[in-house]
């Protein structure tokens, strides 16, 4: 059952999570399943205090069946380490569970999920949140924020502000680590990485 092994005392949360993951494996709620290799479900402790929501799997995640294992995942690992957060202590998932892409020769190029695909997959996010019951949920990017809040929000406007979530716990919104990979200027990239680390530190502090 991978990393989702720890459970709250006297709870069957791990078994419930495994059942949800198995059900998601045959998801056909939108058409993305038709081209993706497999579903990429969330991963991490079933009783994690913090949940991170990304956008969607990339090429490497689609092949591996695990979230955040590609270049963006490596950037996230660096930022988590900088914020003093152990990767294996958080539950990591995506707003959309199947890889959406455009085929260009032999390469599969990431394509942004549309509103319908985000809405269709929000059902899984809600169940993951219900089972894990994180005290803090961090949305990485606009797609994740929309999945978490059920509406479109502006990252720059909402970044760094605590949000009381309807299901309980606090929500935070920040950038997706893939944004850092697209910044050409080294100085700007370093500055943005520092801001990203600070966002994660702020979210961690709210656990206390």
């Amino acid at each position: 059952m991978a990393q989702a092994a720890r459970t709250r005392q006297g709870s069957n949360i791990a078994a419930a999570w495994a059942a949800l993951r198995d059900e998601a494996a045959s998801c056909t709620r939108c058409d993305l399943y038709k081209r993706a290799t497999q579903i990429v479900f969330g991963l991490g402790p079933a009783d994690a205090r913090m949940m991170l929501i990304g956008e969607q799997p990339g090429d490497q995640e689609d092949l591996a069946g695990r979230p955040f294992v590609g270049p963006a995942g490596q950037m996230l690992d660096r930022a988590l380490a900088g914020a003093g957060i152990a990767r294996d202590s958080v539950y990591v998932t995506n707003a959309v569970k199947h890889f959406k892409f455009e085929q260009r020769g032999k390469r599969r190029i990431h394509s942004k999920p549309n509103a319908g695909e985000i809405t269709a997959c929000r059902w899984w996010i809600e169940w993951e949140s219900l089972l894990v019951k994180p005290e803090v949920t961090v949305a990485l990017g606009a797609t994740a924020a929309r999945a978490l809040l059920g509406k479109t929000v502006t990252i720059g406007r909402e970044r760094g502000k605590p949000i009381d979530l309807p299901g309980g716990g606090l929500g935070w919104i920040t950038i997706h680590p893939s944004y850092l990979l697209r910044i050409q200027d080294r100085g700007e990239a370093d500055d943005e990485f520092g801001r990203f680390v600070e966002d994660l530190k702020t979210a961690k502090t709210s656990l206390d």
Side-chain angles (χ1 to χ4, degrees):
M1 198 160 48
Q3 294 181 41
R6 291 198 338 237
T7 62
R8 300 180 186 91
Q9 186 173 4
S11 171
N12 64 352
I13 186 68
W17 176 87
L20 184 68
R21 177 204 57 192
D22 292 346
E23 182 180 353
S26 58
C27 179
T28 58
R29 295 177 69 84
C30 74
D31 288 341
L32 294 184
Y33 79 95
K34 295 179 179 180
R35 300 183 67 202
T37 303
Q38 59 191 316
I39 199 165
V40 180
F41 204 63
L43 190 64
D47 60 351
R49 299 180 67 198
M50 180 182 288
M51 175 185 285
L52 304 180
I53 303 175
E55 181 184 68
Q56 69 155 334
D59 181 76
Q60 293 186 37
E61 288 81 9
D62 173 71
L63 296 174
R66 298 171 59 212
F68 283 99
V69 297
Q74 295 169 19
M75 183 67 72
L76 176 61
D77 287 347
R78 281 183 54 208
L80 287 171
I85 301 170
R87 169 71 184 258
D88 61 5
S89 72
V90 299
Y91 185 88
V92 182
T93 190
N94 280 302
V96 174
K97 303 293 194 272
H98 285 108
F99 181 33
K100 183 178 182 180
F101 62 92
E102 296 178 6
Q103 192 76 45
R104 297 182 188 173
K106 294 183 178 181
R107 298 181 64 198
R108 300 189 301 173
I109 306 301
H110 166 279
S111 182
K112 187 175 181 178
N114 61 39
E117 291 156 351
I118 296 170
T119 300
C121 221
R122 190 166 183 251
W123 192 86
W124 297 113
I125 290 290
E126 290 175 343
W127 270 106
E128 286 176 287
S129 296
L130 181 64
L131 288 173
V132 178
K133 290 185 172 60
E135 298 170 42
V136 168
T137 302
V138 181
L140 306 174
T143 296
R146 179 168 185 159
L148 178 64
L149 303 177
K151 62 180 181 180
T152 301
V153 298
T154 302
I155 299 300
R157 185 179 304 162
E158 301 299 333
R159 187 175 185 178
K161 300 177 182 178
I163 301 168
D164 290 318
L165 300 177
L170 283 179
W172 298 88
I173 296 173
T174 184
I175 61 169
H176 191 282
S178 63
Y179 168 69
L180 300 170
L181 298 171
R182 298 192 295 270
I183 300 176
Q184 299 297 316
D185 182 85
R186 180 62 182 269
E188 182 183 352
D190 289 343
D191 289 344
E192 283 297 328
F193 178 78
R195 289 187 65 196
F196 183 41
V197 171
E198 288 303 314
D199 286 344
L200 294 174
K201 284 183 178 179
T202 299
K204 177 178 180 287
T205 299
S206 68
L207 287 173
D208 301 329

